[in-house]
Amino acid sequence: MFSLKTNPQKKIVLIALTLISLVMIGAQLIRYQYDGFGSGLLNWSTDDDAATVDGNPYFLPHNESHDHSFDEKFVTYLPYSRFSNQRGTLLNAALLAKYLNRTLIVPPLFLGSANGWSPAPSMYNVLANMTDVAWQDRCYDSNDQPIIEEVQFAEDGETVLFGCYNFTTVAQMPWSWATDLQRLTRSVEDGGLGIRIMERSNMALSALQDELGLPDDEMYLMQDSTRYQWRISDTEDDTHNLRYRYELSIEQLRNIQHRLLHFYGIFGYDRLSLHDEWNEEYRQRIEQSLIFRHHAIRESSSIILEQLLDAVNMESNELLPLDPMQAKEQEKDQDELPRFVAAHVRAGDGVFLKKLNDRVPEFVHQIWDIMTGNETTQDDLIGASNKPSASDPAVQQEQRQRPLYPLPKAPAELRDALHDLSLRERIRECSNRKQMILYVATDAPAPRTNPELQPILEAFPCTFFMDDFPADDWRAPLTKVRSPDDPHKDLTDLLIMFVDASICSYAERFVGTRTSTFSVGPLCYTYAFCDTRNS
């Protein structure tokens, strides 16, 4: 080995080789040659009358004829990770399309074992493979059953080659098939963003270039070497965010004259630092338009929701989801406490599993305070950064001094009375005793017998999980759903999280897990729910 400090000549050679490698990568990105879906762009109209496909009024069919203005400019990006992260990425992309005055080209939504982030240019290759229609016939038989293939490795014996093993674990669908994406094409005055949107099903870069009729010198391709390469702001003197390597301004992006501005990855809740007075309003409109609204989700969630509401003698149209401040006002005005509360307890993997023992007591205390009308926080999320935020300093001090243990528990008589009852009997008994109903969405295995969750059940015996309800009933609507882009794949297991989120969104109060992107879902549902109710 040699030291760069003592060998300046070799250091120069190494730097030169590195620069040459980067140039070669850039050249490779200009033109990828993959077979694909052919014409894979969905051309949006601003007409409010959308065609209906598979019972979904939000989906617009693929239009094979595209008449793009030669002056039209486009912006797009590469998706990765799970649904909530893809939604956050699309939110950022829609804002950029608005502020840059470019047509937004939206990649497909991927559910299941979606690709993770990797440095440029590898995600171009991965996504092109994932959307290659040739895998449809290769990986599924005539009965729509997946064909089992062994994992294939490259010559190095370590790199996994893309094959049926990957293709059958992820499903692709247009965002317009399951969300109100078209809403964003409406004028700002009519509740939209006033942007033009197109969708692509083929993620091969060459297919996009051919579809738009773009020469190589009209494509500006971002090449990220780190997950958080760029942060974008609308003020040049914005404080530098240490998470990101470089800072870009909206004005710099506006000065890019290439017809296609292709970002690599733009996920990150703080990726865009925008101070425009309309920014928050635009964000809320995008969040509402990207809620998963498929009719099968509504049908499935209603099967569980109706049983839960029987326990509180309420109809769904009587529920009004509230944040902590609104709840306190209602308690003052109507002397009423919430009867139906929901929580999302993330537990299944990674850091969430490691910190579950610390987080469950926090859930118990916060939900107990909601149930008893003693809430002292304005936060709907449980996590390390929760802080008391009551206006009364005495209340703040009391909360700081309150010990975490012992945890509150329901009376032993109530817990014993409900312990061995069937689902129907437990719902009836909770109703007779006028108990608060708690619905917990969680990825913890066997939640009712899971020892980590027992403190919740001991405090709130009228707690229910999705696993409590007969699966054959609520899963039935989901088994019929097929994506127009992936007709062979059963989406049932991939849609369950949306059923959970939909149920949570109807609760009068919702408490989620901090840093879990799933917990944002019910909050977004709730905002849209209230928006619809009040319109």
Side-chain angles (χ1 to χ4, degrees), residues 227-351:
R227 188 189 303 262
Y228 298 106
Q229 187 95 349
W230 312 95
R231 190 181 74 135
I232 300 167
S233 64
D234 57 1
T235 56
E236 293 188 6
D237 58 347
D238 204 20
T239 305
H240 180 62
N241 186 320
L242 296 178
R243 184 209 291 257
Y244 297 92
R245 178 175 292 185
Y246 303 113
E247 299 283 332
L248 281 174
S249 69
I250 290 291
E251 191 59 35
Q252 286 174 302
L253 294 175
R254 284 175 179 155
N255 289 335
I256 295 175
Q257 298 303 309
H258 300 67
R259 289 186 60 206
L260 175 65
L261 172 55
H262 199 313
F263 286 95
Y264 196 71
I266 51 173
F267 171 69
Y269 69 94
D270 55 354
R271 172 82 65 166
L272 305 185
S273 176
L274 303 176
H275 303 86
D276 178 83
E277 61 179 345
W278 277 88
N279 173 49
E280 289 304 319
E281 175 66 23
Y282 288 157
R283 285 179 183 272
Q284 187 170 2
R285 292 182 184 187
I286 298 169
E287 287 173 347
Q288 292 174 0
S289 72
L290 298 183
I291 294 171
F292 207 103
R293 302 172 185 266
H294 197 279
H295 64 93
I297 303 296
R298 293 193 297 272
E299 185 178 350
S300 179
S301 60
S302 67
I303 292 172
I304 295 176
L305 183 64
E306 288 174 4
Q307 297 177 71
L308 292 172
L309 294 185
D310 281 345
V312 291
N313 299 313
M314 297 177 73
E315 299 290 337
S316 61
N317 58 9
E318 297 179 66
L319 293 171
L320 183 61
L322 304 173
D323 64 25
M325 294 184 65
Q326 293 168 332
K328 296 296 289 185
E329 290 300 318
Q330 178 170 294
E331 290 168 21
K332 292 179 183 178
D333 296 341
Q334 304 177 19
D335 195 27
E336 289 185 5
L337 295 172
R339 294 287 310 282
F340 178 35
V341 175
H344 169 232
V345 182
R346 177 78 182 272
D349 58 4
V351 67

Side-chain angles (χ1 to χ4, degrees), residues 27-66:
Q28 291 169 6
L29 277 173
I30 294 298
R31 187 72 172 174
Y32 277 93
Q33 296 293 346
Y34 299 122
D35 293 328
F37 284 85
S39 181
L41 292 177
L42 178 61
N43 201 15
W44 281 103
S45 150
T46 55
D47 188 356
D48 286 340
D49 297 326
T52 299
V53 174
D54 193 23
N56 186 350
Y58 300 113
F59 177 67
L60 292 182
H62 286 270
N63 184 344
E64 297 300 329
S65 61
H66 310 292

Side-chain angles (χ1 to χ4, degrees), residues 61-340:
H62 286 270
N63 184 344
E64 297 300 329
S65 61
H66 310 292
D67 184 17
H68 305 300
S69 165
F70 192 74
D71 296 327
E72 186 176 9
K73 292 182 178 179
F74 309 91
V75 61
T76 192
Y77 62 93
L78 299 180
Y80 65 91
S81 192
R82 297 180 178 180
F83 168 78
S84 296
N85 289 8
Q86 293 179 61
R87 179 182 58 196
T89 302
L90 178 49
L91 186 153
N92 285 343
L95 285 172
L96 287 172
K98 174 63 179 176
Y99 286 107
L100 299 178
N101 193 26
R102 287 177 176 263
T103 296
L104 175 61
I105 300 177
V106 181
L109 164 63
F110 296 98
L111 296 180
S113 300
N115 60 300
W117 186 90
S118 55
S122 65
M123 284 207 304
Y124 285 93
N125 188 11
V126 170
L127 288 164
N129 273 320
M130 288 171 60
T131 57
D132 187 342
V133 71
W135 295 107
Q136 295 283 353
D137 293 331
R138 174 176 168 178
C139 300
Y140 287 87
D141 62 23
S142 57
N143 296 318
D144 287 347
Q145 295 301 309
I147 297 172
I148 306 301
E149 285 187 358
E150 293 185 3
V151 179
Q152 301 293 318
F153 294 92
E155 293 181 359
D156 60 12
E158 297 181 1
T159 305
V160 177
L161 297 176
F162 190 89
C164 291
Y165 172 80
N166 314 87
F167 185 77
T168 56
T169 60
V170 63
Q172 165 190 347
M173 58 206 66
W175 277 93
S176 56
W177 175 75
T179 70
D180 191 8
L181 186 65
Q182 188 192 18
R183 173 177 180 166
L184 301 182
T185 66
R186 300 175 190 167
S187 67
V188 172
E189 294 75 17
D190 196 27
L193 294 190
I195 62 175
R196 189 161 183 264
I197 295 179
M198 300 161 56
E199 284 186 276
R200 60 188 294 205
S201 59
N202 182 357
M203 289 299 293
L205 187 58
S206 59
L208 178 61
Q209 184 175 4
D210 292 343
E211 185 67 38
L212 298 178
L214 297 177
D216 291 351
D217 59 4
E218 286 286 1
M219 297 168 59
Y220 192 99
L221 305 177
M222 293 287 196
Q223 303 174 41
D224 295 2
S225 59
T226 64
R227 188 189 303 262
Y228 298 106
Q229 187 95 349
W230 312 95
R231 190 181 74 135
I232 300 167
S233 64
D234 57 1
T235 56
E236 293 188 6
D237 58 347
D238 204 20
T239 305
H240 180 62
N241 186 320
L242 296 178
R243 184 209 291 257
Y244 297 92
R245 178 175 292 185
Y246 303 113
E247 299 283 332
L248 281 174
S249 69
I250 290 291
E251 191 59 35
Q252 286 174 302
L253 294 175
R254 284 175 179 155
N255 289 335
I256 295 175
Q257 298 303 309
H258 300 67
R259 289 186 60 206
L260 175 65
L261 172 55
H262 199 313
F263 286 95
Y264 196 71
I266 51 173
F267 171 69
Y269 69 94
D270 55 354
R271 172 82 65 166
L272 305 185
S273 176
L274 303 176
H275 303 86
D276 178 83
E277 61 179 345
W278 277 88
N279 173 49
E280 289 304 319
E281 175 66 23
Y282 288 157
R283 285 179 183 272
Q284 187 170 2
R285 292 182 184 187
I286 298 169
E287 287 173 347
Q288 292 174 0
S289 72
L290 298 183
I291 294 171
F292 207 103
R293 302 172 185 266
H294 197 279
H295 64 93
I297 303 296
R298 293 193 297 272
E299 185 178 350
S300 179
S301 60
S302 67
I303 292 172
I304 295 176
L305 183 64
E306 288 174 4
Q307 297 177 71
L308 292 172
L309 294 185
D310 281 345
V312 291
N313 299 313
M314 297 177 73
E315 299 290 337
S316 61
N317 58 9
E318 297 179 66
L319 293 171
L320 183 61
L322 304 173
D323 64 25
M325 294 184 65
Q326 293 168 332
K328 296 296 289 185
E329 290 300 318
Q330 178 170 294
E331 290 168 21
K332 292 179 183 178
D333 296 341
Q334 304 177 19
D335 195 27
E336 289 185 5
L337 295 172
R339 294 287 310 282
F340 178 35

